[in-house]
């Protein structure tokens, strides 16, 4: 039976030992490199979240500024029920200069049926040209407005250039009538649903109702005078934050959560790269497929949703060669260690083989000696080779 030490030495052969070192070192190197990958991914996600927080805060600030500017214009009419066109234009131009991105500012008074003729005549004289209340026919052409109990004609308008078709348009015939009624009923700012503007672009309207509170007002809210409106093109409205502080590597998808029709949920898609041809907006599922952040925006009673995602190029820029360096470095150290183990095990194996050979020779010599002694007649003694042959 072979000794345990010999069996153990044959188990841990140089090849087995080197293989064990290589496998262990490779696995450890892979684990260490994956740890670095996870650290870099976490760092990139944290940086992405920070950039999104800044971008979203700017979006909220821009929208709040628009609401505040429109509120200031509304207060002009609250304080004076006889605001002239010149006074309106002065304040409106100041707001437009301070808050770029507004397509138009409008004053929309409420006009009773009996007041229509006198109102149209007075406004025509003021403008120096014909002014009439209008509505749209089925082909979207302006035609004289029908008879109503109340009219909401767009009377003051800035800028007028490019918006001439809107002057005199009765909002009773417009797509925002439900928003107008809500703003009047609840006496608060209301944001309309997305509509097609007269200029042919998609937009939204911020609507502030104007009430005055004279001492003897019947309605506790005061006397209703009309509406101050801010008209915004969606693209210009949502692009203002990007213009203030560009955020490369960040795609944004804006949705209207309050929209009733699925095809009207999309507000605007803002890709990070605007230098190339305009790309179609991805679906919500596609946009949410990878790393993304979602933020809600409540404005004028509507719920908007802003979804942000990093571009593949930006995510790639956040990676470093450190994981590969660590993996290759681990493999190099493993190879060196495997070489040392191989040399050590080879030397150990050689010594063990030599010891085994010497042990086998001694065993064989002892066996031959015992056989020789057992075959001799008489007795055999072991003696020292001295003069007296002293027995051992």
């Amino acid at each position: 039976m072979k000794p345990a030490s010999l069996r153990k030495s044959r188990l841990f052969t140089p090849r087995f030992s080197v293989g064990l070192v290589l496998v262990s070192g490779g696995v450890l190197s892979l684990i260490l490199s994956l740890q670095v990958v996870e650290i870099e991914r976490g760092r990139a996600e944290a940086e992405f979240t920070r950039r999104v927080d800044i971008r979203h805060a700017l979006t909220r600030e821009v929208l709040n500024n628009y609401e505040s500017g429109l509120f200031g214009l509304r207060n002009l009419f609250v304080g004076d029920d006889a605001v002239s066109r010149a006074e309106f234009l002065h304040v409106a131009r100041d707001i437009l200069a301070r808050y770029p991105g507004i397509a138009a500012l409008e004053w929309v008074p409420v006009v009773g049926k009996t007041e229509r003729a006198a109102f149209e005549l007075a406004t025509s004289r003021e403008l120096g040209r014909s002014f009439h209340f209008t509505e749209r026919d089925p082909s979207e052409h302006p035609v004289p407005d029908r008879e109503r109990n109340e009219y909401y004609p767009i009377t003051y308008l800035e800028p007028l250039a490019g918006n001439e078709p809107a002057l005199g348009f009765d909002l009773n015939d417009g797509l925002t009538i439900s928003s107008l009624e809500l703003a009047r009923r609840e006496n608060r700012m209301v944001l309309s649903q997305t509509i097609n503007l007269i200029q042919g672009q998609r937009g939204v309207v911020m609507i502030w109702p104007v009430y005055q509170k004279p001492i003897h007002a019947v309605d506790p809210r005061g006397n209703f005078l009309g509406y101050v409106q801010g008209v915004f093109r969606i693209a210009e409205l949502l692009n203002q934050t990007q213009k203030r502080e560009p955020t490369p590597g960040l795609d944004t998808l804006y949705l209207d959560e309050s929209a009733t029709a699925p095809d009207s949920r999309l507000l605007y898609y803002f890709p990070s790269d605007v230098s190339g041809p305009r790309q179609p907006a991805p679906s919500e599922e596609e946009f949410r497929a990878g790393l993304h952040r979602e933020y809600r925006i409540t404005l004028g009673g509507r719920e908007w949703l802003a979804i942000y995602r990093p571009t593949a190029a930006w995510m790639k820029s956040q990676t470093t060669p450190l994981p590969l360096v660590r993996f290759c470095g681990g493999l190099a150290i493993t190879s060196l260690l495997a070489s040392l183990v191989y040399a050590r095990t080879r030397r150990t194996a050689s010594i063990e083989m030599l010891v085994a050979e010497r042990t086998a020779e001694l065993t064989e010599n002892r066996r031959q000696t015992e056989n020789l002694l057992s075959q001799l007649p008489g007795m055999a003694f072991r003696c020292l080779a001295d003069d007296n042959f002293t027995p051992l």
Side-chain angles (χ1 to χ4, degrees):
M1 185 175 180
K2 297 178 182 178
S5 60
L6 185 58
R7 294 198 305 271
K8 183 178 179 181
S9 65
R10 290 186 177 180
L11 177 62
F12 291 98
T13 62
R15 181 176 298 179
F16 176 82
S17 301
V18 170
L20 182 62
V21 171
L22 288 176
V23 171
S24 302
V27 171
L28 182 60
S29 300
L30 180 61
I31 292 174
L32 293 177
S33 63
L34 291 177
Q35 286 179 345
V36 177
V37 170
E38 286 299 319
I39 292 173
E40 289 188 348
R41 182 181 293 113
R43 187 184 301 117
E45 290 184 5
E47 174 63 15
F48 165 68
T49 301
R50 185 190 70 82
R51 289 156 60 89
V52 168
D53 287 342
I54 294 174
R55 177 73 175 275
H56 188 69
L58 284 173
T59 302
R60 284 297 327 174
E61 181 182 348
V62 168
L63 295 176
N64 289 337
N65 287 342
Y66 288 141
E67 185 176 352
S68 299
L70 198 61
F71 183 75
L73 187 59
R74 170 252 188 196
N75 286 342
L76 176 67
F77 289 88
V78 170
D80 185 359
D81 60 354
V83 176
S84 67
R85 186 179 301 273
E87 291 172 328
F88 171 84
L89 294 179
H90 176 75
V91 176
R93 287 167 182 169
D94 180 65
I95 294 173
L96 292 173
R98 290 164 55 194
Y99 306 118
I102 303 176
L105 293 173
E106 302 171 344
W107 165 238
V108 183
V110 56
V111 180
K113 179 171 61 175
T114 59
E115 303 167 340
R116 174 178 177 176
F119 190 93
E120 289 178 330
L121 179 60
T123 305
S124 296
R125 289 174 178 174
E126 180 187 10
L127 292 172
R129 64 183 181 86
S130 178
F131 175 87
H132 298 285
F133 296 175
T134 61
E135 60 180 340
R136 296 291 183 268
D137 64 12
S139 59
E140 293 299 317
H141 291 101
V143 296
D145 202 358
R146 74 191 75 172
E147 185 175 311
R148 308 176 192 269
N149 291 326
E150 283 186 338
Y151 301 91
Y152 299 140
I154 299 176
T155 304
Y156 296 169
L157 178 60
E158 180 62 25
L160 182 59
N163 296 314
E164 292 87 349
L167 196 62
F169 177 66
D170 181 11
L171 296 181
N172 278 298
D173 193 50
L175 298 175
T176 63
I177 184 60
S178 60
S179 299
L180 291 166
E181 292 173 347
L182 178 62
R184 180 175 181 175
R185 184 170 60 250
E186 298 187 1
N187 191 19
R188 64 175 177 85
M189 195 277 283
V190 170
L191 184 70
S192 75
Q193 75 275 17
T194 305
I195 60 173
N196 291 323
L197 302 176
I198 292 178
Q199 299 87 346
Q201 296 173 310
R202 297 178 68 239
V204 292
V205 183
M206 286 186 184
I207 305 167
W208 265 111
V210 179
Y211 283 89
Q212 276 194 332
K213 291 187 177 181
I215 298 175
H216 301 293
V218 177
D219 192 323
R221 294 169 297 185
N223 296 331
F224 179 65
L225 301 182
Y227 303 97
V228 166
Q229 293 195 147
V231 181
F232 300 85
R233 300 181 184 92
I234 290 291
E236 293 183 9
L237 172 67
L238 297 176
N239 277 348
Q240 291 304 309
T241 54
Q242 183 69 14
K243 291 179 180 179
R244 287 185 54 180
E245 184 171 334
T247 310
L250 191 65
D251 293 341
T252 310
L253 185 69
Y254 293 99
L255 303 173
D256 185 357
E257 291 280 88
S258 301
T260 55
D263 57 352
S264 61
R265 280 176 56 83
L266 177 64
L267 285 171
Y268 190 66
Y269 169 55
F270 189 86
S272 175
D273 184 11
V274 295
S275 59
R278 179 70 181 174
Q279 299 296 323
S283 65
E284 296 180 40
E285 294 75 14
E286 179 184 353
F287 209 84
R288 290 187 172 103
L291 175 63
H292 68 280
R293 297 288 183 270
E294 299 184 13
Y295 294 82
R296 294 191 177 276
I297 303 173
T298 302
L299 184 65
R302 296 193 74 82
E303 292 287 339
W304 285 2
L305 184 66
I307 309 178
Y308 304 90
R309 72 176 181 185
T311 62
W314 184 84
M315 288 296 293
K316 185 178 180 180
S317 70
Q318 301 303 301
T319 61
T320 67
L322 183 58
L324 180 60
V325 170
R326 177 167 288 193
F327 181 70
C328 293
L331 291 182
I333 294 174
T334 300
S335 300
L336 178 61
L337 182 60
S339 300
L340 295 176
V341 169
Y342 180 76
R344 181 66 179 270
T345 52
R346 282 294 300 271
R347 182 171 180 274
T348 302
S350 299
I351 293 175
E352 289 179 348
M353 185 177 298
L354 181 61
V355 170
E357 292 175 355
R358 294 295 183 266
T359 302
E361 291 177 359
L362 292 175
T363 302
E364 179 64 20
N365 291 337
R366 177 173 294 181
R367 186 187 66 79
Q368 292 178 2
T369 301
E370 290 176 353
N371 289 337
L372 178 62
L373 292 176
S374 63
Q375 295 175 6
L376 291 175
M379 300 178 64
F381 296 92
R382 297 177 64 189
C383 301
L384 293 175
D386 56 8
D387 295 338
N388 299 319
F389 293 97
T390 303
L392 292 177

